[in-house]
Amino acid sequence: SMCADVYRAAGDHMQRRGSRFGVADEGGWWPDFESNEQALQVLTASIEEAGYRHGEVMICLDIAASEFGSAGVYRLELGGHQYDTAGWIDQLATWIGRYPIISVEDPVAEDDAEGMRRFTAAMGGRVQVIGAGSRGVVMAGLLGRGAAPRAPRARRGGPRGRRWGGRGRGSRWGRGRRARRARRRRSRRGPRRA
């Protein structure tokens, strides 16, 4: 597959450069880069070395900006750069213009709602912007439906979410003491009236 081809090409590329030190916890390469942008350079070169064009394979970034930014200040340890919100958005825009990036998740810190609005206004027409869910900035109707009783949380166990998902009688959540008591109370009431 494309991903496996690029993964192998990235490993080979970093091995030739002497910047690959193994495999990290989640299966990604454990590189040693001199700058954050070097990661994008290596990934772009790996896409090309795997035999793909930029329109065929694109880059999705999970910035996780809350890990290095707060209160409108973003500090990148690698390279020792520090940005305010506007400077950080400009840096991301530069990378988006220079590399085949199609999606950016959590581009600014969770406490930077204005920065998220500014980034989305500036880059939302060029890339997919993901991050509203982690900030709790979701449509009220969707939030209400998701919090409704018996609303499924995941669908891994089959079409009815019996194993992991919904809160129905067959789910692992539906077998608890409170669920059994509720079912007994309902059964004592008799049949439902229309």
Side-chain angles (χ1 to χ4, degrees):
S1 79
M2 290 181 179
C3 291
D5 293 343
V6 173
Y7 177 82
R8 282 190 293 274
D12 294 343
H13 185 89
M14 288 185 287
Q15 186 69 36
R16 285 193 307 274
R17 295 172 51 116
S19 60
R20 186 182 87 185
F21 289 96
V23 178
D25 293 342
E26 295 178 354
W29 296 115
W30 179 4
D32 182 27
F33 294 132
E34 296 172 9
S35 70
N36 292 287
E37 187 168 7
Q38 189 179 19
L40 294 169
Q41 293 166 348
V42 167
L43 187 52
T44 302
S46 301
I47 291 169
E48 294 166 355
E49 288 175 17
Y52 298 106
R53 293 186 314 269
H54 293 202
E56 293 177 296
V57 177
M58 304 291 282
I59 299 172
C60 298
L61 297 177
D62 184 353
I63 303 291
S66 291
E67 298 297 319
F68 58 89
S70 178
V73 178
Y74 297 88
R75 293 179 184 87
L76 302 179
E77 287 184 34
L78 201 57
H81 298 289
Q82 181 171 316
Y83 302 94
D84 63 359
T85 299
W88 177 237
I89 291 172
D90 288 344
Q91 179 61 65
L92 291 174
T94 300
W95 289 340
I96 289 168
R98 195 174 290 163
Y99 302 101
I101 298 170
I102 193 170
S103 178
V104 180
E105 183 174 353
D106 296 329
V108 296
E110 290 180 0
D111 65 355
D112 196 351
E114 178 59 28
M116 186 65 169
R117 281 190 289 278
R118 287 168 50 193
F119 180 81
T120 302
M123 294 288 107
R126 295 180 67 183
V127 297
Q128 174 185 9
V129 179
I130 304 169
S134 61
R135 287 175 183 73
V137 183
V138 294
M139 292 173 47
L142 292 176
L143 185 60
R145 279 183 288 195
R150 300 176 62 113
R153 303 309 189 257
R155 290 286 196 190
R156 294 186 65 196
R160 289 204 159 76
R162 297 255 184 233
R163 183 160 179 221
W164 299 101
R167 305 260 178 174
R169 198 180 310 165
S171 73
R172 70 181 178 131
W173 299 104
R175 286 180 272 210
R177 184 182 313 156
R178 287 192 345 222
R180 285 192 299 273
R181 286 182 189 158
R183 283 193 297 274
R184 274 191 294 237
R185 282 193 300 273
R186 283 193 301 265
S187 67
R188 289 183 199 141
R189 287 186 218 145
R192 289 186 179 179
R193 295 181 186 168

